[in-house]
Amino acid sequence: MTERLAADQVSRAAELLRAGRLVAFPTETVYGLGGASRDAAAVAGIFAAKGRPSFNPLISHFPNADSAFAEAVDDDRARALAEAFWPGPLTLVLPRAADSRIALLASAGLPSLALRVPAHPLAQALLRAAGQPVAAPSANRSGGVSPTTADHVLDGLTGRIDAVLDGGPCAVGLESTVLDLTGPVPLLLRPGGIPEAELERILGPIGRAAPAAAEDEARPAPGMLTSHYAPALPVRLDATAVAPCEALLAFGPALPGAGATWQLSESGDVVQAAARLFAGLRELDALGQRLGLTGIAVQPVPMQGLGAAINDRLSRAAAPRG
Ligand code: AMP
Ligand code: MG
C-alpha cells in the first residue's frame, strides 16, 4: 500500500525516508521519488520502483548549499551559482568528496555527484526533517511522463512506493537545469527551469552536451561516458567456473576457488545485488590488482526486475575498451 500523506505529515514522511523507505514528494519542478542517498538498498529500491532497464545517476537533494557542498568538491563557480539560484531548479554536478557516504549506486558508479537544493516549501521541510541527502528522480515509471500532482504519482507508482507527500500541483513542471562543473568548462547536460543565459551571466560561456532524447536516455551523452566507471581488470560474464587467478563477483551460491570473492546476493535477490554492484566492482578491481589477479569473473544474474539494469551495467564493464 502507498500512503497518501497530507502536507502536515512531513515528520511521518521523513521517518519513512530515514528507515530506508521510498517517499514521493513535490518540488518546484516535478514530484520526485525520494530515497535516502546513503542507503544503497533504498537507492536500489528507487530503480526497482521505476522499472528502468539501466542505472542512470540520480540527483541528491538538500535543504541548503552547505549540506550539499559537504558531499562534494565545490569551487568559486559552484558557490556563485548556489548563491544566485539555490534554492531553485538548478542541479550542479561536482566531484564527489572523498568522505561522502552517498551510495555509489546513486551516482551509477561515477566519481561525480549531482546536487540540488529545491525551493518548494514542502521539499524544504522534508529535507530538513530527514537530516540526510535524499536521492530523487522523477516519480514516474520508466518511460512515463514526469508527474506534477500526487495523483499522477499514484497513477504510476501506487503499491510500488511507501508514500506520497501531497503538496498539490507543482508550479514549474519543468525539470531542473543540470550543469556539469567537473571540468574547466561548465557543460550544460540538460536544459530546464533555469535558462542557460542566466547561468552565462554568472559563468561566462558554457558548453553544451548533446541533449538527452528522452528520460530513459537521461544520462551523459556518449562522448562524455569516459567518466563512466569501468574496472581496470578485464571482466568475464556468465562464469560457471572460476580460477584462483581470478576475482569473483558472485550471485547466489558462490563458485569455489576464486582468488577473491564479492557476494552480490547470496540469496539471489536482484535488489540487494543492485545495491552492492558498484561497490563490488570497485572492491574487486582494487583487490584484484593488489593481489595480481588477471580478471573479474561474474556469475550469471537473471534478467528479472533490476536484473536487466545489472546486466546492462555488467555488459558495459565487459565490453572491449577503445
Ligand atoms: P532526473 O532524475 O530525471 O531528474 O535526471 C537526472 C539528470 O541528472 C540526468 O540528466 C542525469 O544524467 C544527470 N546526472 C545525475 N547525476 C549525474 C552525474 N554524476 N554526472 C552527470 N550527470 C548526472
Ligand atoms: Mg525524470
Side-chain angles (χ1 to χ4, degrees), residues 135-239:
S138 54
N140 52 277
R141 296 293 299 272
S142 176
V145 174
S146 292
T148 54
T149 67
D151 284 330
H152 292 169
V153 173
L154 289 170
D155 284 348
L157 295 175
T158 195
R160 303 178 69 91
I161 62 175
D162 297 289
V164 56
L165 185 57
D166 189 348
C170 296
V172 176
L174 263 182
E175 291 176 304
S176 63
T177 301
V178 181
L179 187 72
D180 183 341
L181 290 178
T182 58
V185 179
L187 220 49
L188 186 70
L189 297 184
R190 180 176 77 187
I194 302 282
E196 199 177 342
E198 301 257 316
L199 301 176
E200 290 193 319
R201 272 224 309 268
I202 289 183
L203 291 175
I206 62 183
R208 248 169 236 83
E215 189 199 341
D216 276 3
E217 263 43 76
R219 62 172 74 156
M224 307 183 49
L225 286 179
T226 41
S227 56
H228 229 121
Y229 175 71
L233 289 178
V235 174
R236 180 169 74 83
L237 301 180
D238 294 326

Side-chain angles (χ1 to χ4, degrees), residues 222-302:
M224 307 183 49
L225 286 179
T226 41
S227 56
H228 229 121
Y229 175 71
L233 289 178
V235 174
R236 180 169 74 83
L237 301 180
D238 294 326
T240 52
V242 62
C245 63
E246 290 180 304
L248 175 69
L249 193 62
F251 181 84
L255 295 169
T261 297
W262 177 278
Q263 182 56 263
L264 287 173
S265 173
E266 177 103 60
S267 65
D269 173 350
V270 286
V271 178
Q272 183 183 36
R276 294 176 55 74
L277 175 65
F278 289 99
L281 281 172
R282 276 181 194 268
E283 183 66 25
L284 287 184
D285 198 25
L287 188 61
Q289 290 179 72
R290 209 154 59 233
L291 298 175
L293 303 181
T294 58
I296 300 172
V298 183
Q299 287 183 239
V301 175

Side-chain angles (χ1 to χ4, degrees), residues 69 72-75 78 92-96 111-115 181-182:
F69 290 152
V73 182
D74 60 295
D75 58 19
L92 298 179
V93 176
L94 291 169
R96 167 195 285 266
S112 55
L113 293 176
L115 313 170
L181 290 178
T182 58

